Amino acid sequence: MLASGIKVLFAGQNMQRLLGGFLVTLRVAVIVLIVGGILGVLLGALRTLHNRPLQVILRVYLEIFRIIPTVVLLFVAYYILPQTFGLNLPGEAVAILVFTLWTAAEMSDIVRGALESVPVHQKESGEAIGLTQTQLFRYVLIPQAIPVVLPGTINLATRIIKTTSLLLMISVMDIVNVGQTLVEANGHKNPSAAFWIYGAMFVLYYILCAPLSQWAKRVEKKRLERANG
């Protein structure tokens, strides 16, 4: 029974289609991490400034993406906004936009926390020697914040990869959508096909996420050792 199922996985173009969906997942995750990460760093830096109106705006932005489920944001951006404003965006572009804004919100919180963890006397020393706000960030705050930011950023990358499974909801042919299509097309003839198809999806996700998770743990361990040493 299981043997017949594995034949489905390698029949025709099935494996190529699954790998093609995997590349779509990877492409979306990489774009979102790069663009959202850069935007998140800028927003995180802005959140450390003493500007009340700016802080309120950024806090509202963060809470929107924390409180509202990502799948709801996807549906709103894909189904409601195009009808309201007459837009016609492909599903992948909509997903990248929504995931990027969500990633930027999460990244801004990581960066803000890291910047605020820099000892106050370091900031005061920089100001005492006449550094501007930009120079203070460049030469004092950011170099000391990077070791704190890195573990959280790596963990965020794994969350982005797993969140891309929601692409199925807006008909983007990612690995989950392709896998589901293969299961529906072959499940009635070979019930065990689902085991092999979902198993292959598990392996591909594991190949992406497991090394990142281990890397984050090692980085965090080294950071704590340096801090305690």
Side-chain angles (χ1 to χ4, degrees):
M1 199 71 171
L2 286 176
S4 63
I6 197 172
K7 290 179 181 177
V8 171
L9 184 61
F10 293 99
Q13 299 294 314
N14 288 349
M15 179 55 76
Q16 289 88 334
R17 290 174 61 193
L18 201 61
L19 292 175
F22 179 68
L23 291 178
V24 171
T25 295
L26 186 58
R27 179 173 65 242
V28 171
V30 170
I31 293 173
V32 167
L33 182 60
I34 293 174
V35 180
I38 293 172
L39 181 58
V41 169
L42 295 175
L43 294 179
L46 290 175
R47 289 185 62 196
T48 65
L49 301 179
H50 300 292
N51 185 313
R52 182 64 179 173
L54 178 63
Q55 296 309 313
V56 171
I57 293 171
L58 293 178
R59 188 65 190 179
V60 170
Y61 168 74
L62 175 64
E63 292 302 322
I64 287 174
F65 284 90
R66 274 187 169 174
I67 295 172
I68 302 177
T70 309
V71 66
V72 174
L73 295 172
L74 275 178
F75 278 134
V76 170
Y78 187 69
Y79 293 107
I80 298 177
L81 293 184
Q83 294 179 2
T84 304
F85 297 101
L87 302 175
N88 185 22
L89 296 175
E92 188 172 327
V94 171
I96 289 173
L97 176 62
V98 172
F99 291 157
T100 295
L101 293 175
W102 166 71
T103 299
E106 295 289 340
M107 189 69 187
S108 72
D109 214 33
I110 295 172
V111 172
R112 178 200 58 79
L115 291 173
E116 291 182 348
S117 71
V118 177
V120 176
H121 71 269
Q122 297 278 1
K123 305 175 187 177
E124 293 174 344
S125 298
E127 293 170 348
I129 63 175
L131 294 181
T132 64
Q133 191 71 45
T134 302
Q135 291 172 328
L136 191 63
F137 275 107
R138 181 177 178 183
Y139 297 113
V140 179
L141 299 180
I142 292 178
Q144 295 187 63
I146 287 176
V148 182
V149 167
L150 192 54
T153 303
I154 299 170
N155 284 325
L156 179 59
T158 63
R159 290 171 59 196
I160 292 170
I161 293 170
K162 290 182 283 189
T163 303
T164 57
S165 61
L166 295 176
L167 293 171
L168 169 70
M169 309 303 294
I170 57 172
S171 303
V172 176
M173 296 306 291
D174 69 319
I175 185 173
V176 177
N177 204 349
V178 172
Q180 184 65 27
T181 302
L182 293 177
V183 169
E184 292 174 355
N186 298 277
H188 61 289
K189 294 181 180 178
N190 294 285
S192 64
F195 172 83
W196 293 104
I197 293 170
Y198 286 123
M201 291 163 56
F202 167 81
V203 170
L204 291 172
Y205 270 115
Y206 186 85
I207 289 172
L208 273 183
C209 295
L212 290 173
S213 179
Q214 292 301 315
W215 184 24
K217 290 178 181 178
R218 288 196 299 269
V219 170
E220 181 63 16
K221 182 179 179 181
K222 291 180 179 178
R223 185 184 73 82
L224 293 175
E225 288 175 350
R226 286 195 297 267
N228 297 327

